[in-house]
Amino acid sequence: MLKITMAQMEVIPGHPDKNTATMLRMIDEAKEEQSDIIIFPEMAVPGYLLGDTWEQSSFLADCEHYGQEIIAATQDITVMFGNIAMDWEKTNNDGRVRKYNAFFTAQNGRLIKPAGQDQPFVIKTLMPNYREFDDTRHFYSLQQLALEQGKSPAELIAPVNITIKGKEYSIGCLLCEDGWSDNYALEPFEVLRKNGSIDFFVNISASPYTLGKNGKRNRVFGEQAARAGKPLFYVNAIGLQNNGKTVYTFDGASTAYNGKGDVCAMSLEYKEELTIVDLAELEQLPALPEDKEPDIAHIYRALHYGVGHFLKNIHMRKVVIGISGGIDSAVAAALYAKIVGPENLLLVNMPSVFNSATTKGLSKQLADNLGCQYTVIPIQHSVDHTVEQLSGTPITYLTDGSTQNLTVSSFVTENIQARDRSARVLAGAAAAFGGGFTCNANKAETTVGYSTLYGDQSGFLAALADLWKHQVYALAHYMNDVIYGREVVPQGIIDIVPSAELSSAQNVDEGKGDPLKYPYHDYLFRSFIERWQKAAPEDILEWYAAGTLEENLGCEAGLVEKYFPTAQEFIADLERWWNLFTGMAVAKRIQAPPILAVSRRAYGFDHREAQNGPYYTLKYQQLKEQLLQA
């Protein structure tokens, strides 16, 4: 009988004191349950996404100190945990102190070395350097250490052998990416498996949530357990961590797999808890049923948890939302009402002469459904005043001393309205209300900068900016049907044409709205950002010419012909949005609020980009010419 506890804990980045207090409490609870082994996540002591905090020697010393507190608490229990490990006598390639992302195993107040190794910890072998990860900037890998010592990495990958109740166990210890080795030349799991003596595997992780990731985790780790014919324990953190521009939820879902690869025990998503499994009984446990929840349920949980923790971290209790009668602001309002409570939510409708009675009525109906505070602050007077100031104030030209007034176009007036709403009204209302105001942009708008800089792109957090428009609609239905169990987001808001209502050309009562054709553009833009091999105009035009565009994008068949009857119209649309995506939209994204990530690639520091302007390949130019001449 060997009782193993998976300690799924909330890791607070940059606070080793608080994390250690949690770990010591959980160790005591595991002892009360007479557990033999307790396993904590990767980087459980310091947190993982810390930016260049890793360059502070004083912080590193604190992490080392708190690691010693954990080691001292290992009387009558074996503790496996993640922490930073330093070799103060050596340096990384950048000349700073050498740091390892390390897996510690402690028993009876001392550390246990991996078999035949010098360091009393397992060193992470594979350094992820994609998406949000920047491991090679900070950590020295086992592969680098092997090269330095003139050895092969396989010589340094060794099991940890422990003795419990007179019986010896050989454990294959892996750190997160070491188990995701499909695209690496070296597979640490395989090195350990071929050792032949492993009794069970442990993978400690700091793995952020993305849509569909749990299914992939179970496929990857279940297959590994089955291949080895040995149990595998995957222990992940929960909590919220960020790299400044992108905010990530860590969903936990710590899992025990038997030797057949079945999921036999799993901790709840986003819940701090101990999950205890008897190793001898693991093979007899029934496999848990496959997750059948719709994607939108997982997205809602990630948003609710992420936004709630973000507000807690910045000590914000009250929220102001500019409500337009459109779907994005309505979904944001329904989400925040569940998180902060309707009593702490203020919805502000800010009509100009272009806002219809329809959308103003829907805004009031939404506020009534939520039971939150609501106010109407018209902006037409202040917009007119700004236009009058700009058009009525002469400019003196230094070249000849002549004067001329500025011309305020209808387009400029649209942006004045958007800035007046956010930079003036919402910012002031939020300060008076004692809170902050939100950015309600969706991912399609963020992709092409369909927003006003310092206007509706402002706010303390863009909670919906990693959701495509169709996902925002799905979230509206899910909150109505499941979360609230009643119509909170009015059906009229779901049915109305999406529109900024900034000019007469966007009159919703006449069916006029945004220039984006969301059923198509959602999927076109997704190919620019979320495909692992990102699509560019050359790819889009090749698929268009071959008649496989809709299949490759994943959108509804027939949309391309419906929206773009000719190649000229199709190419003009493609270039319009590509020019914005790689042009002004980049500058806007750089200045945008932090985005809460839920997809396989979010904007911010997840998708790294430079302001280089649009580019079209030679092959694209040739194919374009052929299509236009056909």
Side-chain angles (χ1 to χ4, degrees):
M1 178 176 174
L2 186 74
K3 292 180 74 173
I4 298 175
T5 295
M6 298 187 294
Q8 182 169 287
M9 62 176 285
E10 179 182 349
V11 175
I12 303 171
H15 290 275
D17 52 345
K18 294 178 181 179
N19 295 328
T20 300
T22 298
M23 295 168 74
L24 293 173
R25 170 177 56 79
M26 294 181 116
I27 289 170
D28 287 341
E29 291 173 4
K31 286 181 180 179
E32 289 176 10
E33 296 292 334
Q34 298 183 319
S35 281
D36 300 298
I37 299 175
I38 183 169
I39 308 167
F40 290 98
E42 177 186 24
M43 289 294 189
V45 173
Y48 189 23
L49 301 180
L50 304 184
D52 286 347
T53 298
W54 292 120
E55 296 176 3
Q56 299 174 7
S57 294
S58 57
F59 177 80
L60 300 177
D62 247 24
C63 294
E64 197 170 53
H65 165 80
Y66 286 111
Q68 290 298 323
E69 287 193 13
I70 301 298
I71 295 165
T74 59
Q75 303 299 328
D76 304 318
I77 194 168
T78 299
V79 178
M80 310 182 85
F81 66 100
N83 194 8
I84 189 74
M86 278 70 64
D87 186 335
W88 297 100
E89 304 301 317
K90 294 183 179 178
T91 62
N92 280 353
N93 293 338
D94 63 0
R96 294 185 175 89
V97 64
R98 182 167 297 180
K99 299 173 283 291
Y100 301 108
N101 183 340
F103 184 151
F104 293 86
T105 301
Q107 189 182 61
N108 297 322
R110 64 180 184 86
L111 289 174
I112 301 173
K113 293 182 179 181
Q117 302 304 309
D118 297 329
Q119 291 87 2
F121 45 78
V122 172
I123 299 169
K124 192 171 185 177
T125 301
L126 306 179
M127 297 281 109
N129 228 33
Y130 54 83
R131 290 209 63 191
E132 67 271 26
F133 304 114
D134 207 5
D135 283 27
T136 56
R137 181 179 177 91
H138 305 295
F139 311 129
Y140 206 76
S141 73
L142 182 137
Q143 293 188 84
Q144 289 174 289
L145 183 63
L147 182 65
E148 180 182 82
Q149 295 180 356
K151 299 178 180 179
S152 71
E155 292 179 78
L156 302 186
I157 298 173
V160 173
N161 299 321
I162 60 174
T163 301
I164 297 176
K165 297 175 183 175
K167 183 175 178 180
E168 186 170 293
Y169 296 90
S170 183
I171 307 172
C173 297
L174 301 155
L175 286 109
C176 200
E177 188 78 358
D178 292 344
W180 299 88
S181 54
D182 286 357
N183 297 314
Y184 293 91
L186 179 67
E187 295 186 69
F189 176 85
E190 277 300 293
V191 174
L192 289 166
R193 184 184 72 84
K194 289 175 181 177
N195 177 285
S197 64
I198 304 296
D199 292 295
F200 59 92
F201 293 85
V202 174
N203 184 309
I204 61 171
S205 285
S207 182
Y209 165 81
T210 54
L211 184 60
K213 194 168 186 179
N214 260 347
K216 186 174 182 181
R217 285 172 185 157
N218 289 337
R219 289 193 298 274
V220 169
F221 295 122
E223 190 275 334
Q224 288 179 358
R227 192 166 6 126
K230 301 292 182 180
L232 187 151
F233 296 88
Y234 164 81
V235 181
N236 190 24
I238 64 169
L240 199 72
Q241 302 193 39
N242 72 86
N243 53 27
K245 288 293 290 183
T246 318
V247 181
Y248 302 89
T249 63
F250 288 69
D251 61 332
S254 302
T255 306
Y257 305 87
N258 65 18
K260 294 178 289 187
D262 298 327
V263 174
C264 294
M266 180 182 285
S267 305
L268 292 175
E269 292 179 347
Y270 301 112
K271 181 174 173 59
E272 192 169 82
E273 64 178 358
L274 301 179
T275 301
I276 302 174
V277 178
D278 190 306
L279 185 65
E281 297 175 358
L282 185 61
E283 298 300 323
Q284 282 72 50
L285 290 176
L288 297 181
E290 215 175 308
D291 178 24
K292 299 294 186 183
E293 279 192 303
D295 286 347
I296 201 64
H298 292 278
I299 288 174
Y300 173 79
R301 273 201 297 277
L303 292 173
H304 186 279
Y305 182 86
V307 172
H309 274 64
F310 188 86
L311 291 171
K312 178 182 176 183
N313 290 347
I314 63 174
H315 306 289
M316 185 181 291
R317 296 181 180 179
K318 294 185 175 184
V319 172
V320 172
I321 298 177
I323 203 78
S324 65
I327 190 67
D328 299 319
S329 59
V331 167
L335 176 65
Y336 278 93
K338 269 294 177 186
I339 295 167
V340 301
E343 69 279 6
N344 294 314
L345 181 64
L346 170 62
L347 305 187
V348 183
N349 183 243
M350 298 163 285
S352 71
V353 293
F354 300 115
N355 291 92
S356 66
T358 301
T359 54
K360 286 186 279 189
L362 288 170
S363 296
K364 178 63 166 64
Q365 185 181 343
L366 173 70
D368 290 342
N369 291 350
L370 291 173
C372 60
Q373 282 63 241
Y374 177 73
T375 187
V376 178
I377 304 178
I379 64 166
Q380 193 61 51
H381 175 73
S382 58
V383 170
D384 289 342
H385 178 63
T386 301
V387 171
E388 182 182 347
Q389 279 187 308
L390 293 175
S391 60
T393 303
I395 296 174
T396 302
Y397 289 85
L398 296 178
T399 52
D400 58 7
S402 64
T403 61
Q404 185 176 334
N405 292 3
L406 290 173
T407 300
V408 181
S409 68
S410 59
F411 177 73
V412 171
T413 304
E414 290 179 27
N415 285 304
I416 289 171
Q417 292 173 73
R419 291 191 182 97
D420 197 62
R421 286 171 176 159
S422 294
R424 186 179 72 87
V425 177
L426 286 181
F433 191 59
F437 71 96
T438 66
C439 174
N440 304 324
N442 60 59
K443 196 167 188 175
E445 294 169 343
T446 305
T447 297
V448 293
Y450 186 60
S451 59
T452 300
L453 202 57
Y454 319 124
D456 52 338
Q457 192 170 297
S458 304
F460 68 86
L461 177 69
L464 304 180
D466 202 24
L467 271 65
W468 300 105
K469 193 76 167 185
H470 66 272
Q471 292 174 314
V472 175
Y473 280 109
L475 189 56
H477 287 293
Y478 182 77
M479 287 196 290
N480 279 354
D481 298 341
V482 178
I483 301 303
Y484 285 92
R486 58 188 174 88
E487 186 179 290
V488 170
V489 178
Q491 187 62 41
I493 288 179
I494 295 172
D495 293 338
I496 201 169
V497 60
S499 174
E501 286 194 300
L502 293 172
S503 72
S504 57
Q506 297 171 333
N507 188 316
V508 295
D509 290 332
E510 297 176 4
K512 300 174 182 177
D514 296 342
L516 293 165
K517 298 172 174 60
Y518 292 105
Y520 166 70
H521 286 126
D522 264 2
Y523 297 89
L524 174 69
F525 299 164
R526 186 177 70 177
S527 74
F528 295 166
I529 172 72
E530 289 187 17
R531 284 175 63 94
W532 194 251
Q533 302 292 340
K534 290 186 172 69
E538 179 182 314
D539 305 292
I540 302 301
L541 216 53
E542 284 183 335
W543 297 336
Y544 173 77
T548 61
L549 179 61
E550 291 148 340
E551 178 184 348
N552 279 289
L553 296 183
C555 66
E556 180 186 335
L559 286 180
V560 173
E561 186 178 355
K562 172 184 174 183
Y563 292 141
F564 315 109
T566 67
Q568 184 175 5
E569 290 171 287
F570 176 81
I571 290 170
D573 179 82
L574 173 61
E575 292 187 358
R576 173 188 184 181
W577 300 117
W578 179 258
N579 289 344
L580 287 169
F581 168 62
T582 56
M584 180 56 73
V586 181
K588 290 183 177 182
R589 285 192 290 271
I590 289 170
Q591 299 183 64
I595 288 173
L596 183 62
V598 297
S599 75
R600 66 175 63 183
R601 185 62 65 89
Y603 288 114
F605 198 68
D606 191 352
H607 171 69
R608 307 182 196 190
E609 52 191 342
Q611 298 185 69
N612 298 330
Y615 176 74
Y616 295 92
T617 62
L618 177 61
K619 191 173 181 180
Y620 172 84
Q621 301 284 7
Q622 293 169 341
L623 187 54
K624 172 184 174 181
E625 187 176 347
Q626 293 171 17
L627 287 169
L628 292 179
Q629 290 178 352

